[in-house]
Amino acid sequence: MIKKKYIAALAFILIAGCKKAPVNVGPPNQYSSSNYPTTITQLQTVLVSCYSDLRDVGLFGFDFLPRMLGQSTHVLNGNPFSFTGEMASTNLTVGDGGAQETWNALYVGVKNCNVTIYSAGVLLKTDPSVDKATVNLIIGQAYCLRGWYYMQLECLYGEAYMQASGTNGDKLGVPLYTEVPQSLAATQVARSSVKDVWALIISDEKQAATLLKGQVWPSTDAARATEWSAKGLLGKAYVYTQDWADAKTTLNDVITNSGKTLMSYATYHDAFNGSNKFNSESLLELYIDPNPQGGYGIYSGSVSNSATIDGLLWPPVTFGGYNGSTPYDGTNNAVQFLGYGGNFYIHDQNILRFGYTLGNYGLVANPKYNASVGPTYYNQQQVIDPVYQKAALQARTNNTTDPRLYVNALQPRIDSVQFDGIHWALIAKNPIPEAPVETPQSTVYGWSLRKYSPIDYNIAANTTVTSDKWDYYLLRLADVYLLYAEACIGSGDNVNGLEYLNRVKRRAYSLPITTPSVVDYKSLSDATPANNPLSPDPVLGHNPLYYERWAELFNEGTWWFDVCRWKLGDSEAAYYKSAIGVPSPLTFTDGKSYVWPIPLTEINSNSKITLADQNPGY
Amino acid sequence: MYKKQLLLKLLFCPLLLLMSLSTFAQSAITGKVTDEKGNPFPGITIVIKGTSRGTNSDAYGNYKINAGSAAVLVFSAVGYAKQEITVGSKTVINVTMTEDLQQLNEVVVVGYGTQKRKDLTGSISSVKGDLFKDQPITNPIEGLQGRVAGVNIIQNSAAPDAVPQVIIRGVASFYQPNPLYIVDGVRQADLNNLNPQDIVSMDIAKDAASAAIYGSAAAGGVILVTTKKGSGIGAPPSISFSSRYGITKPKLVQLLGTPDFIKLQNLVNPTFFAGATKTDTLANTNWVDLLYRNGTEQNYNLSVSGASANVNYLASGFYNQQTGIFIKNYSNIGGARVNTDYKLSKYLTIGEQIDVSQRITSPLVGAEADLHNAPFRTQPIIPIYNPDGSWGTEPTGYKIAFGGPNPLGAVNSAGAQDVKNNFQGNAYADVKLPFHLDFRTTLGYSYFLETNDSFQNSYSFGPVASSTNGLSKSYAQSSQLLTNYVLTYNQSFGKHNINALAGYEQIVNKTNNVYSSMSSIGEPGYSYIQTSASALALSGTYDPQGLIKSQFARVNYNYNERYYISGSIRQDANYDVFGPDKQKGVFPAVSAGWTISSEPFFKGILPIFNSLKFRGSYGQLGNSNVSPYSFTSTYSQFNNANGYSVGAQGFAPGQPFQIANTLTGIPNPNLHWETITETNLGFDGEALHGNLYFTAEVYNKKTSDLIYQLPLSASSGFTQPYITNIGDVDNKGFELMAGYRNKIGKLGFDVSGNIAYNKNKVTKLSGAATDAVYGGYNYYSMGNTSFSQMPNQQLTITKVGLPFGEFYGYKVLGIFSNEADAQKQVVNGHKADIGDLEYQDLNGDGKIDQNDRQPIGNPNPKYVYGFNIRLNYGGFDLAALFNGVAGVQLFNGVKAYEQSLFQDGNTTSQVFHDSFLGSNGLTSQPRLLSPTAGGGNALDANQNYSSVNSYFVESGAYVKLKNVQLGYTFSNNTLKQISIKSLRVFVMANNVFTITKYKGLDPELGSAFTTGGAVNPTTQGIDAVTNYPQARIFSAGLDVSL
């Protein structure tokens, strides 16, 4: 009896068994770093992260253009929400959330590029038979983008731009990581000198150009970096550091040999709202897909997409729309934003800087008003004064205003948008800042932003699209032309300098690009549209180089770098006068504001950067 | 083999002979056992002393046993004094059992065994299930609140599925582990599904020596739970039923109604309602009343138990239904338990405990539907519905703008059901071996399955809208298979008593889960109906790699039950948390005790003490409460702070997106256990024949190799922290518990109190660039750091020399009453005015900025105490439980919303007491509006309400009457007629009142932003708008036994 029980007990024990200790474990839903990547396909996915990081909230995903560059260059005017106020007053604190977001996103980009280069090395080592040409193209793209990330970092956070003959080269640049940190110690890196950072940027773009040489991507890979992306960025780096000789050679190479041409004005007019992607002028372009895959743009939790949502923040405002099934009444009492309401609209001074001289409109009773229908957005009781309307339209046809105004902005009660993707309705005066009721005679212009903005759908509601539709240009040929012009002027070749400024301008006026025209600048101090009698701009009004870079690349994220390179902070503040929600008149602190602060979070997490290494003024 | 059997026979033969001899000259003894009230007492164990022969009293208290005249009958029952009666010439022996006042003989569950309380050398406190079985709780942990010195239970929410936080002897780690829960010898992740009424007792091992037998799992202390067993051999089954029903009343903040709201806006934003004449036609919506309600709590419990000579059994079932105080929120749990022991032979006992339960919860979900204890981001002028029936939006024609949702609409636009299924089963076999050895093996299996369906409908609340709906469904299962084998040796040689054990334990953990979502589904509900617009997302993991292997041993020795010494050791190997060579940890402990009251000299000196024991212990524990695989680095899909949107990228129109992978972090192969080393000294005693009882102890607990998530430099590009061992923490304290019980006439009483003091200090934190760790935000909506009254500002600091999570901000010296003084203070470029807070300028640079922040309050309570009163008089019983803390500060983040105006929302009437608001002069509240040069007003230019400063730090000391209960037990005579053994009815109130100077809703606050009872050491004591409010519960119920 006893024996039987013992046997039963022993059997019970054996049921449980004893599990063998595992040797090497890792998370089963991830790839182990010890044996990845093993194929080119896997390596390609590592490269993808170098591109997709460009859509981070701190970059083109959401905040960078509207809240940071848009505010600090006064492209936009709007609610000082969180760090936006600091940007609008160009007076940042060390804890500025925007400066921190962008710093983080750019360094994640650098890290992703470094990981790509590192894992390409791992693959080449573990599988010597791998297709080396393809691996080289992958490494080349990583270098091209790493150079871009570092150039943004240096221009935003470096203590000063390097100037001709290495001036400022010994000042503090940004920390450099040329490979993936493999230990805690390797994550503690001091700021490099300005000249070392630029040397790395230049070397990265040169390597990229070499590795990508001759590669022509099929249309299915249109957004990938090319030899010409790298050379264009290289040329920009030379210009930014006033190496005019190298800049001219490099940029001329791009102009002559890239096969790229300036697009026609008609194409250009529609190249920022979802059409004409990967056009003849595009050198490096961030592909954006309008379908957010069910996610909410860049804030999409577990959903992967190829979306950005800048358009949410700066959408046009229109009279069109319905309250239930009742059409809006066609007054500013009921307007629809094609995104979030109440954030940003185009700063009025920009309208003047583009040369618009007609002031504000008045309203008259609508002679076609049908009282039996009642007031609706398509049957408005009051309409724009027809005399004013005629003059405003003539300003367009006669090109007495810079045509690029109409690429960049939508005029209230003259321009229309498709608010629901189908129906057209007039643009309403933007009710920001504090006047929901339309005050046509007031000094507030209240135009809507058009470039990179939803003009034929509502990005926020009532449609399934909740992403931007358009791509973002990281580099396009017009920029290269203007950089080339700058390099020519910098090296004393004013003739070619003027010619390339005029080529960009001629395109804007729908004129043959290489033929001298009536709109040509006659000299480097000729009057520009910014010399508008309503608000003459003492700086851009007589500086075609400055004006063309501002007007041509408006809201594309480059003007801030020009302001800082050329030290235009004071004159810009004086020109824009005020911004919503920040102390006026606008001022600029020369000893501080050309450089963003090294974020506090970096100082708190990097023992090699102390408060003493902070940029001046912070 | 043959030899062994022979040996066995030789050993057993004399024993059998002895037993047969003792059957000579026996006569039948009968009798009746009653309790103090004269009621029959069934189930009393009656044993002939020195033998294993015995019986039990039957349902009528009667018993019958054969015994010789020299035999001594021992009558015993848990909780009653043992009685020994020599048979002599008697044939009828009637016995009245009296409650045992001496706790020293009670059995305490220790790791892998039991000990008598008087033999303990470590620090173990016990709480009987009877004490809390009728409290309105579904989690037994709540029953410990206020009852055990050094065990701080925080119940900071009235959410129906809230899990209390447990901190035993202070916070000791950034990865503060929950206590280890051992239920009937098998470890469990939590007690969330355990029916409180199934519990006999809970024993809490507080010091390292008591817990060290559980090694690496015991760093948070060990709570050993014993569930009920059937008893009463031969008696008919005992049936018990209990039920209670209660109303839950929330404690809420009220916001301004429309007239006051407009009055305030006319002061703050005069343009909003300028010239408006018809404001009396505006809505006056009370959003608080719309979102909150009275909840209910009801509980039903039924159990059947019994025993025969070879089997005892208990089967019980319960159902608890709670509706939350927030609309649409509820949680219901039902479960059943079967406990059985089979004595198969004299040498072999087997048994099992099976526990199943299911909890169904409707949690708060939904875009824009975040819970706020007051919905500050609402406006009373917004109607519930617009005239066309859509959700109410901002009335037009005013210059005021509202960018938020309609909160009622938001709650009603989403729904969720969460189902937690729990199975816990264990079986054991216990074999008595020769040579005083006992072998026991246990096999425990637990299985947990949680399914969650969460539906978000499309919605439109004016400025906030989504035209698409979405559904997410998840299925997450986990299982644990535990096996252990324990060999115990128990023997006495004269006055030498030895108890020793050795064992092996293995725990295999597996998880398997899938998370899915689909947007734009065809029909609202919890089923996927795909449409052309649908987007799908899936993720899931199967991980069978969780494995812990352990060996352990313990020796307890005492001489004459007077001198005690004990030692234990355990080695654990954890295979998925630590990397190669770092998996194993060894955790030793020693302890000793001296029962001085047994010394002959003592009785002469201090006869008043019937017992007094000194004890001391030393031990080490490990903590590995970090996510598995923290030591590795991997390639995984690229994500950033905002999710996986960047986890893919398109490269041309019409082309499929390509997945983005990247390296996620830096590996740390050196990551290893946190070690907790603790010494404990204490004494236990009883005096006045056990009427007075007390325990006191002092401890020193040091955590070394503290594991910490070191944030890597932002420039490294790694956003995942580096998990590494970098610090030390000390917790030192003492604990006192004392009680007095007696009976004066018909009035029986037992009053006891306990208090614990703890001091928490970080003594080392190296490796971080600034050697400081920041935590906590004054959130308006969970996780949104920028949309807050104190945007992007962290509230706490943890660094060397300070306790965990000390509040960190500007120190307020007072409110300026003199313009000249005020103008010297510059905050963010703005000069202060009269009525602004005066901050201490730490570095004396004339401006107040982040360099002037300093520690401004400690959220770790110095004292945690409890006080219990239990009275009975005739059929009446009264129990009151008080608990409290002292020496603690709280951060009243809600005050920043209550006394100012948050964004486009609302506030409370407190705002009208702000300095210089309207016709106010200088008051005790700082000003909200600052005069500007142009004659206007700037909002909070001095950052009185928008910076982290000590104006918001308040004392969090409180005393609460946690539970008071009045019962009446009907007398036996009445009940006999309806064949009921006993009937008790009771009424009770929970969370009755709080005595505190704290101005917020309730000073009982846990860690912010944690779930499941987890403790976050850096976010303690933060009162934020996101907290689920507390509530009072008023209940009535009954207990019946058949």
Side-chain angles (χ1 to χ4, degrees), chain A residues 19 30 52 55 187 293 301, chain B residues 535 549 634 644 646 648-649 713:
Chain A
K19 193 170 168 170
Q30 292 168 9
S52 65
R55 293 186 293 104
T187 66
Q293 304 295 312
Chain B
K549 289 181 165 197
T634 59
Y644 282 92
V646 291
Q649 178 65 37
S713 67

Side-chain angles (χ1 to χ4, degrees), chain B residues 316-552:
Chain B
S316 77
F318 79 108
Y319 178 68
N320 182 284
Q321 182 177 319
Q322 283 188 68
T323 56
I325 53 177
F326 197 85
I327 55 169
K328 289 183 76 180
N329 179 216
Y330 66 80
S331 186
N332 305 329
I333 180 170
R337 163 178 294 275
V338 177
N339 289 355
T340 323
D341 299 303
Y342 305 89
K343 197 168 181 186
L344 295 182
S345 77
K346 207 176 280 176
Y347 309 105
L348 178 63
T349 309
I350 63 170
E352 106 294 310
Q353 287 98 21
I354 293 169
D355 184 16
V356 293
S357 69
Q358 184 179 64
R359 182 185 277 279
I360 302 177
T361 305
S362 166
L364 297 171
V365 292
E368 313 287 340
D370 297 336
L371 176 132
H372 305 103
N373 55 21
F376 287 96
R377 199 186 187 193
T378 54
Q379 292 180 0
I381 63 170
I382 295 176
I384 306 170
Y385 300 104
N386 289 331
D388 66 357
S390 61
W391 290 109
T393 49
E394 184 86 309
T396 55
Y398 303 92
K399 294 183 182 173
I400 188 169
F402 184 65
N406 179 311
L408 191 65
V411 172
N412 282 302
S413 301
Q417 58 182 14
D418 179 276
V419 181
K420 294 185 178 82
N421 301 287
N422 201 66
F423 172 87
Q424 168 71 39
N426 42 358
Y428 74 89
D430 191 314
V431 189
K432 283 196 182 1
L433 300 173
F435 311 112
H436 309 283
L437 291 170
D438 182 285
F439 179 77
R440 185 182 173 102
T441 176
T442 306
L443 185 146
Y445 180 73
S446 59
Y447 177 84
F448 180 73
L449 170 65
E450 180 171 7
T451 61
N452 191 303
D453 305 308
S454 185
F455 173 68
Q456 174 67 57
N457 211 339
S458 57
Y459 54 89
S460 175
F461 315 126
V464 192
S466 168
S467 61
T468 55
N469 64 21
L471 171 66
S472 61
K473 293 170 81 74
S474 71
Y475 179 101
Q477 68 175 27
S478 56
S479 68
Q480 173 186 285
L481 181 66
L482 175 146
T483 45
N484 69 35
Y485 315 99
V486 182
L487 190 65
T488 309
Y489 175 79
N490 213 338
Q491 175 64 324
S492 301
F493 308 94
K495 290 176 178 175
H496 303 275
N497 303 303
I498 293 178
N499 171 282
L501 65 81
Y504 172 80
E505 187 164 70
Q506 172 181 297
I507 297 165
V508 178
N509 285 304
K510 293 182 183 178
T511 58
N512 195 4
N513 54 55
V514 59
Y515 301 89
S516 64
S517 68
M518 186 187 285
S519 63
S520 299
I521 59 171
E523 295 283 346
Y526 296 136
S527 301
Y528 285 136
I529 305 176
Q530 194 172 353
T531 65
S532 309
S534 292
L536 283 63
L538 270 182
S539 68
T541 305
Y542 170 64
D543 186 353
Q545 297 176 138
L547 176 64
I548 302 169
K549 289 181 165 197
S550 315
Q551 299 88 36
F552 51 88

Side-chain angles (χ1 to χ4, degrees), chain A residues 238 253 270 466:
Chain A
Y238 286 137
D253 187 13
D270 292 330
T466 51

Side-chain angles (χ1 to χ4, degrees), chain B residues 731-807:
Chain B
N731 279 284
K732 292 176 185 171
F734 63 82
E735 293 159 1
L736 294 172
M737 183 279 290
Y740 186 80
R741 60 201 154 190
N742 208 338
K743 195 158 187 180
I744 301 169
K746 284 173 89 175
L747 177 70
F749 63 91
D750 183 348
V751 292
S752 69
N754 64 74
I755 184 163
Y757 167 87
N758 186 69
K759 188 162 188 255
N760 173 276
K761 192 162 122 181
V762 176
T763 54
K764 186 179 141 195
L765 201 61
S766 62
T770 55
D771 294 337
V773 179
Y774 301 91
Y777 289 96
N778 189 9
Y779 284 122
Y780 180 72
S781 297
M782 277 292 195
N784 189 345
T785 58
S786 55
F787 191 73
S788 147
Q789 193 68 302
M790 296 167 187
N792 301 314
Q793 297 171 68
Q794 299 231 272
L795 304 183
T796 74
I797 189 169
T798 302
K799 65 175 189 180
V800 170
L802 295 179
F804 269 112
E806 176 114 0
F807 301 126

Side-chain angles (χ1 to χ4, degrees), chain A residues 21-70:
Chain A
V23 181
N24 234 334
V25 295
N29 57 347
Q30 292 168 9
Y31 299 107
S32 163
S33 55
S34 57
N35 55 11
Y36 188 89
T38 55
T39 61
I40 294 256
T41 312
Q42 289 182 340
L43 180 61
Q44 289 282 13
T45 70
V46 180
L47 172 66
V48 175
S49 68
C50 308
Y51 287 95
S52 65
D53 182 60
L54 294 167
R55 293 186 293 104
D56 189 279
V57 168
L59 296 174
F60 295 97
F62 195 47
D63 282 341
F64 191 51
L65 290 187
R67 289 193 168 139
M68 296 162 214
L69 300 186

Side-chain angles (χ1 to χ4, degrees), chain B residues 29-362:
Chain B
I29 312 292
T30 57
K32 182 166 185 166
V33 187
T34 52
D35 64 15
E36 288 162 283
K37 293 170 190 158
N39 298 324
F41 204 142
I44 294 292
T45 307
I46 301 142
V47 187
I48 297 167
K49 196 174 182 180
T51 77
S52 58
R53 280 202 309 124
T55 184
N56 291 75
S57 60
D58 66 15
Y60 309 100
N62 297 325
Y63 74 95
K64 186 178 174 187
I65 192 166
N66 289 325
S69 58
V72 176
L73 297 188
V74 181
F75 296 79
S76 63
V78 173
Y80 287 81
K82 194 196 280 182
Q83 295 198 40
E84 299 189 359
I85 296 169
T86 309
V87 174
S89 58
K90 297 187 278 285
T91 53
V92 176
I93 300 177
N94 292 331
V95 172
T96 301
M97 300 296 287
T98 52
E99 276 190 55
D100 186 8
L101 293 183
Q102 300 201 13
Q103 294 174 339
L104 296 175
N105 284 318
E106 74 180 17
V107 170
V108 175
V109 179
V110 298
Y112 305 101
T114 58
Q115 274 183 286
K116 284 182 182 164
R117 175 155 290 285
K118 66 175 181 184
D119 295 337
L120 288 180
T121 48
S123 175
I124 300 184
S125 301
S126 304
V127 174
K128 296 278 174 258
D130 279 350
L131 290 179
F132 56 77
K133 76 180 172 68
D134 286 326
Q135 272 180 243
I137 57 176
T138 55
N139 192 317
I141 294 300
E142 284 178 67
L144 298 178
Q145 190 173 38
R147 301 190 194 277
V148 185
V151 178
N152 185 13
I153 310 284
I154 304 161
Q155 180 66 21
N156 62 332
S157 148
D161 57 341
V163 178
Q165 293 183 358
V166 188
I167 301 173
I168 297 178
R169 293 187 166 177
V171 179
S173 171
F174 285 108
Y175 291 88
Q176 179 69 16
N178 277 327
L180 174 67
Y181 298 108
I182 305 287
V183 180
D184 297 323
V186 174
R187 65 172 71 178
Q188 290 193 8
D190 55 55
L191 300 184
N192 301 350
N193 308 296
L194 187 62
N195 179 2
Q197 305 207 28
D198 284 342
I199 292 176
V200 176
S201 68
M202 294 170 77
D203 298 293
I204 301 105
K206 295 189 290 189
D207 67 333
S210 314
I213 194 71
Y214 288 109
S216 66
V222 185
I223 296 182
L224 302 114
V225 180
T226 308
T227 61
K228 289 177 177 168
K229 289 181 184 301
S231 61
I233 295 173
S238 169
I239 300 169
S240 305
F241 172 76
S242 70
S243 79
R244 63 171 188 264
Y245 182 88
I247 306 279
T248 314
K249 289 179 175 294
K251 297 164 86 173
L252 297 169
V253 168
Q254 283 295 342
L255 303 176
L256 297 180
T258 292
D260 280 339
F261 179 74
I262 293 172
K263 182 177 152 195
L264 178 66
Q265 292 293 359
N266 285 342
L267 297 169
V268 179
N269 297 300
T271 56
F272 283 2
F273 294 100
T277 51
K278 290 186 178 171
T279 54
D280 57 337
T281 63
L282 288 170
N284 186 358
T285 309
N286 186 330
W287 294 105
V288 178
D289 287 356
L290 288 168
L291 295 172
Y292 287 93
R293 61 182 178 188
N294 285 342
T296 59
E297 198 255 1
Q298 46 191 308
N299 194 80
Y300 306 94
N301 193 75
L302 178 68
S303 74
V304 181
S305 65
S308 70
N310 295 321
V311 180
N312 69 64
Y313 62 91
L314 171 126
S316 77
F318 79 108
Y319 178 68
N320 182 284
Q321 182 177 319
Q322 283 188 68
T323 56
I325 53 177
F326 197 85
I327 55 169
K328 289 183 76 180
N329 179 216
Y330 66 80
S331 186
N332 305 329
I333 180 170
R337 163 178 294 275
V338 177
N339 289 355
T340 323
D341 299 303
Y342 305 89
K343 197 168 181 186
L344 295 182
S345 77
K346 207 176 280 176
Y347 309 105
L348 178 63
T349 309
I350 63 170
E352 106 294 310
Q353 287 98 21
I354 293 169
D355 184 16
V356 293
S357 69
Q358 184 179 64
R359 182 185 277 279
I360 302 177
T361 305
S362 166

Side-chain angles (χ1 to χ4, degrees), chain A residues 117-137:
Chain A
I117 295 162
Y118 164 80
S119 45
V122 169
L123 179 61
L124 286 170
K125 213 177 275 176
T126 53
D127 182 5
S129 67
V130 81
D131 172 12
K132 287 194 184 58
T134 308
V135 173
N136 279 341
L137 291 176

